[in-house]
Amino acid sequence: MTAQFVIVGVVIVGAVVYVSCRLWKEWRHSQSGCSHCPANHLNSKK
Amino acid sequence: MKPAIAFLGNPNTGKTTLFNALTGLRQQVGNYPGVTVERKHGQLTTPHGVVELIDLPGTYSLAAQSPDEEVVANVLRGHQKGEQPLSGVVVIVDASNLKRNLYLVSQVLEVGLPTIVVLNMMDIAKRRGVTIDVTALEKRLGVPVIPMKANVGGGVTQLNAALMQVVAGQIKIPKPVGLRDPETGKWQSGRTDACGDHPIAQEAVARYNWIRGVLHGIVFQVPSTRSHFSDRLDKVLTHRVWGTVIFVIVMLFMFQAIYSWAGPLQDMIDNGVSALGEWVGSWMPSGVLKDLVQDGVIGGVGSVLVFLPQIVFLFLFIAFLEDCGYMARAAFLMDRLFARIGLSGKSFIPMLSSFACAIPGVMATRTIENRRDRFVTILVSPLMSCSARLPVYTLLIAAFVPSVTWMGGLLGFQGAMLFAMHALGFAVAIPIVWILKRTVLKGATPPFVMELPSYKMPSLKLVGWRALDRAKTFVQSAGTIILAMSVVIWALSYFPTADHNYFAMMGHAIEPLVKPLGWDWRIGMSVLAAFPAREVVIAAMATSFNVNVADGDDSSGILQALQNATWPDGAPLFGLAVAMSVMIFFALCCQCGATVAIIRRETNSWKWAGFAFAYMTILAYLAAAIVYQVMAYFGVGI
Ligand SMILES: Nc1nc2c(ncn2[C@@H]2O[C@H](COP(=O)(O)OP(=O)(O)OP(=O)(O)O)[C@@H](O)[C@H]2O)c(=O)[nH]1
Ligand SMILES: [Mg+2]
């Protein structure tokens, strides 16, 4: 049971971190002039 | 340092097609001007080493007017930041339209770089009855001229050989065209009359005189019947009445087809997801981990993933219509309407791209010269219904709009509703443009000359690629941001206890805010959770309406969960009115962090990004509230 809670906890923390990173990345992206937009990333493998 | 060679030419001449053929990349290609708006790099491996190829946006002249054209002029002159000086240029010209295309060539020849001229679209030139004496042209221009059919790879070998000569330094810098008097610097236009006095006019006259001389006696045109047919077709397709009627029918058919054709595939994915849920349920010990996997992960991601077929079909259709040349006619059709509100048809192309995704749409505004017009277009582009809204519409329409079809299933009620939702954003954009053009972004209506591309048999490979790329992006987002958000929402609605969870607590707090829209807290929270990415709303609804994929032998879990949802007093929660208010909110709201970010970047100001977000959100809220209240007042769809 405890093991289950640990795994679930890790997954939740991971998800929260991921969402925050995504938002952070978007913010950074709006600051810079890079062309690696989500919709464009397939196009920009330089 | 690797030698760099740039590809430039008029818009829609096949630069990117050729660039892709040489580098093996898959940059976007489309049969309308203004597809490429950023420079793109690729590599060509030759026996003499690697060459860096640069694909540039299309331009008619080196006198830059719009941001995308500026990039071309800067790269060519070696002024672009982060770009090395070029070793050579390849000018791609449309062989069926040499006269206009040579204008740019005459300017490029003056830059002083080794130059290759590619005569692309030889097949179309031939179809139109144009023959060109290539050897004579080569002599007159003083640079290698290579005939090409880039879409089928004809001529690529010769170009490869010529590129190698450039790298090896075997191609001389062309003699300047010499159109200016070396002493006075005046254009030698041969005209001194007052109306041609302006240097720009003088330059144009001088260059066209030169072009006439170059082409004299080496280009022959026999009248052909084919082009008459395409002219007649254009007359109908861009006709104010018939063109509009045809456009609406094409759209109605497309959206109904998305329903009818994607349905069976959708059921298959749905069954697969349910089976996976059951299988996991059969061996995992019950407990918190099983709940997470079943309800959070499989339930959340699975409920979004079932919409993959619709996305793929939408993109197949859009790519098909673009590549055959029809979309450019639609843009032309819109020009008249746009002129009345103060924009030109040029703004329609970015708006059209925004139906796929607002991000490339906002970037496509770089082809617009006037800064204010560009900003107006940027501000309304996110109103166009992007493909991320499609799952929301299809789900709610499938649940609450009767599936009546006519004409053997070609047209139908649900398809018409889906079309209406896509038309809504466009319809709302019109008064907004009108207001913006008369207040904060005042300015005259820009002139617009749209070049209609020739009709083509769409390339199946290209169309397939577009759909495949999109499918990949969709699956990727399902596996990343949607997965993560699903887990977060699941956690919020699971802890501290299933009955008194955080999700519900927050939901009850915001319920008064969404009550006027006819929503309960579960809808409100699901919509709120969708601000990082729109598709999340479906995963969130799946979680908050407690759809358990495992105990569904019915393949439409979420659909029925929505239909059966009730208020605490037992009255049904959803009806057409609530479904409409949710859809309208989605149609108009700027629920996309990436779009806000790109607006910030392209306008270089938080002010405009904030403005776009604020006006769209307020508009969405008001429109949804009004529609719901009116429908409720008349007792429709409650
Ligand atoms: N028939 C024919 N079609 C071609 C040829 N080369 C390219 N095309 C088509 O022409 C259209 C335009 O091609 P693109 O490569 O996007 O043109 P581009 O010059 O990059 O256009 P912009 O980026 O908008 O300036 C596409 O539909 C191509 O499939 C050709 O030699 N013959
Ligand atoms: Mg291009």
Side-chain angles (χ1 to χ4, degrees):
Chain A
M1 209 58 205
T2 345
Q4 281 200 13
F5 268 101
V6 171
I7 298 173
V8 170
V10 170
V11 171
I12 293 172
V13 170
V16 171
V17 168
Y18 181 82
V19 172
S20 332
C21 282
R22 267 295 275 264
L23 294 175
W24 165 248
K25 210 177 98 193
E26 240 136 56
W27 187 80
R28 287 280 315 201
H29 170 207
S30 72
Q31 298 293 297
S32 68
C34 87
S35 59
H36 295 255
C37 315
N40 225 40
H41 69 270
L42 290 166
N43 281 338
S44 52
K45 47 181 175 192
K46 214 172 134 172
Chain B
M1 201 158 44
K2 282 174 287 195
I5 297 176
F7 280 29
L8 75 166
N10 287 10
N12 207 38
T13 50
K15 298 175 293 298
T16 307
T17 310
L18 196 56
F19 175 84
N20 286 348
L22 287 171
T23 59
L25 292 181
R26 269 205 251 156
Q27 300 298 348
Q28 197 184 332
V29 165
N31 192 10
Y32 56 92
V35 179
T36 309
V37 291
E38 275 191 310
R39 68 206 142 101
K40 294 281 161 77
H41 296 250
Q43 297 190 335
L44 173 70
T45 319
T46 71
H48 300 294
V50 180
V51 183
E52 178 99 1
L53 298 184
I54 308 169
D55 181 27
L56 293 170
T59 178
Y60 290 107
S61 129
L62 290 183
Q65 300 204 310
S66 56
D68 64 327
E69 291 170 343
E70 211 169 302
V71 171
V72 179
N74 287 345
V75 169
L76 205 60
R77 304 206 166 98
H79 296 164
Q80 182 72 36
K81 225 174 41 194
E83 205 74 73
Q84 52 177 334
L86 298 175
S87 311
V89 265
V90 179
V91 191
I92 290 100
V93 306
D94 177 353
S96 66
N97 207 338
L98 262 186
K99 202 161 135 195
R100 202 205 47 227
N101 277 249
L102 284 185
Y103 193 92
L104 180 66
V105 174
S106 77
Q107 290 180 322
V108 173
L109 291 178
E110 287 164 352
V111 174
L113 286 169
T115 305
I116 300 171
V117 171
V118 168
L119 286 185
N120 196 25
M121 312 235 178
M122 285 303 275
D123 52 324
I124 293 183
K126 193 167 155 209
R127 203 170 75 192
R128 296 211 180 139
V130 178
T131 42
I132 302 162
D133 183 345
V134 176
T135 334
L137 184 62
E138 203 160 48
K139 236 179 236 142
R140 287 195 189 165
L141 292 176
V143 299
V145 175
I146 299 165
M148 178 81 61
K149 292 172 197 155
N151 58 338
V152 290
V156 170
T157 338
Q158 289 93 309
L159 179 60
N160 253 324
L163 288 174
M164 259 179 270
Q165 284 184 305
V166 172
V167 177
Q170 290 164 348
I171 294 193
K172 287 195 296 279
I173 292 174
K175 265 208 319 271
V177 183
L179 294 175
R180 276 187 215 238
D181 191 304
E183 268 148 40
T184 61
K186 280 220 174 105
W187 292 99
Q188 297 184 328
S189 65
R191 281 175 66 165
T192 47
D193 49 326
C195 68
D197 239 4
H198 199 274
I200 293 178
Q202 293 274 0
E203 173 179 0
V205 173
R207 291 196 190 280
Y208 278 115
N209 280 341
W210 174 81
I211 292 170
R212 208 168 307 128
V214 167
L215 295 181
H216 184 75
I218 63 172
V219 174
F220 308 97
Q221 162 115 45
V222 291
S224 77
T225 46
R226 275 286 189 84
S227 60
H228 286 309
F229 173 71
S230 112
D231 284 348
R232 262 197 311 232
L233 194 56
D234 278 349
K235 274 228 179 72
V236 179
L237 292 183
T238 61
H239 187 273
R240 198 176 313 185
V241 179
W242 299 122
T244 313
V245 169
I246 292 172
F247 181 73
V248 170
I249 292 177
V250 167
M251 289 297 126
L252 280 175
F253 168 74
M254 175 174 111
F255 286 116
Q256 186 59 37
I258 289 176
Y259 259 102
S260 330
W261 298 0
L265 290 171
Q266 192 176 2
D267 289 345
M268 269 167 54
I269 299 183
D270 209 354
N271 289 337
V273 171
S274 309
L276 182 69
E278 270 168 51
W279 176 74
V280 167
S282 67
W283 60 264
M284 271 184 90
S286 46
V288 58
L289 189 56
K290 179 176 170 179
D291 291 343
L292 169 67
V293 173
Q294 269 196 334
D295 302 340
V297 177
I298 300 178
V301 175
S303 63
V304 175
L305 219 48
V306 291
F307 293 98
L308 180 63
Q310 264 111 349
I311 305 268
V312 170
F313 276 112
L314 178 72
F315 275 81
L316 283 178
F317 278 114
I318 292 184
F320 182 90
L321 290 175
E322 269 179 14
D323 209 40
C324 71
Y326 178 69
M327 281 307 192
R329 269 80 193 170
F332 192 81
L333 200 63
M334 293 303 160
D335 187 43
R336 264 178 240 128
L337 173 69
F338 274 35
R340 239 178 258 173
I341 54 171
L343 281 185
S344 82
K346 217 172 199 178
S347 298
F348 183 65
I349 297 275
M351 285 160 79
L352 202 65
S353 303
S354 302
F355 277 100
C357 173
I359 294 161
V362 168
M363 300 221 311
T365 61
R366 292 185 188 177
T367 59
I368 299 170
E369 300 94 25
N370 184 297
R371 185 177 150 274
R372 288 160 174 247
D373 291 341
R374 183 166 171 240
F375 280 18
V376 173
T377 314
I378 288 178
L379 290 176
V380 295
S381 284
L383 278 174
M384 305 303 120
S385 250
C386 65
S387 59
R389 283 142 158 144
L390 188 67
V392 183
Y393 300 153
T394 26
L395 174 66
L396 290 171
I397 290 176
F400 302 104
V401 174
S403 70
V404 186
T405 58
W406 307 283
M407 290 170 51
L410 277 185
L411 298 178
F413 213 54
Q414 296 186 326
M417 191 69 180
L418 194 54
F419 173 51
M421 292 319 301
H422 282 81
L424 177 71
F426 186 73
V428 169
I430 289 171
I432 294 193
V433 168
W434 194 87
I435 294 169
L436 287 174
K437 280 289 289 192
R438 270 150 199 83
T439 52
V440 275
L441 292 164
K442 247 190 223 135
T445 301
F448 172 59
V449 196
M450 168 110 184
E451 200 189 337
L452 287 181
S454 40
Y455 291 104
K456 297 209 174 82
M457 192 57 210
S459 144
L460 288 184
K461 199 169 75 178
L462 270 180
V463 172
W465 272 353
R466 279 286 294 285
L468 203 71
D469 271 355
R470 197 64 207 178
K472 242 160 75 184
T473 316
F474 182 75
V475 172
Q476 223 166 41
S477 76
T480 53
I481 183 79
I482 293 171
L483 172 64
M485 281 300 290
S486 299
V487 169
V488 172
I489 293 165
W490 172 85
L492 287 176
S493 51
Y494 194 85
F495 297 108
T497 67
D499 290 330
H500 284 278
N501 58 64
Y502 298 120
F503 199 65
M505 289 178 210
M506 292 190 234
H508 287 300
I510 64 149
E511 196 168 64
L513 201 65
V514 297
K515 214 49 181 286
L517 312 184
W519 304 356
D520 76 340
W521 66 268
R522 289 173 294 186
I523 307 177
M525 281 304 286
S526 302
V527 171
L528 213 58
F531 270 81
R534 288 190 174 91
E535 298 94 329
V536 170
V537 73
I538 290 175
M541 289 210 274
T543 310
S544 54
F545 288 99
N546 273 327
V547 191
N548 196 341
V549 278
D551 49 49
D553 49 349
D554 52 337
S555 58
S556 42
I558 183 162
L559 223 136
Q560 283 180 355
L562 294 186
Q563 284 166 338
N564 297 337
T566 57
W567 288 97
D569 65 4
L573 171 59
F574 272 98
L576 185 61
V578 172
M580 286 289 286
S581 99
V582 174
M583 285 195 290
I584 286 171
F585 188 87
F586 266 83
L588 302 179
C589 189
C590 188
Q591 271 173 313
C592 178
T595 302
V596 177
I598 197 88
I599 294 178
R600 154 71 185 71
R601 202 188 85 190
E602 294 291 310
T603 60
N604 201 16
S605 117
W606 273 116
K607 199 182 79 185
W608 289 116
F611 177 70
F613 180 79
Y615 98 81
M616 284 182 68
T617 307
I618 294 170
L619 191 68
Y621 185 88
L622 290 180
I626 290 171
V627 167
Y628 173 76
Q629 294 297 343
V630 169
M631 284 179 82
Y633 181 79
F634 289 105
V636 186
I638 295 299

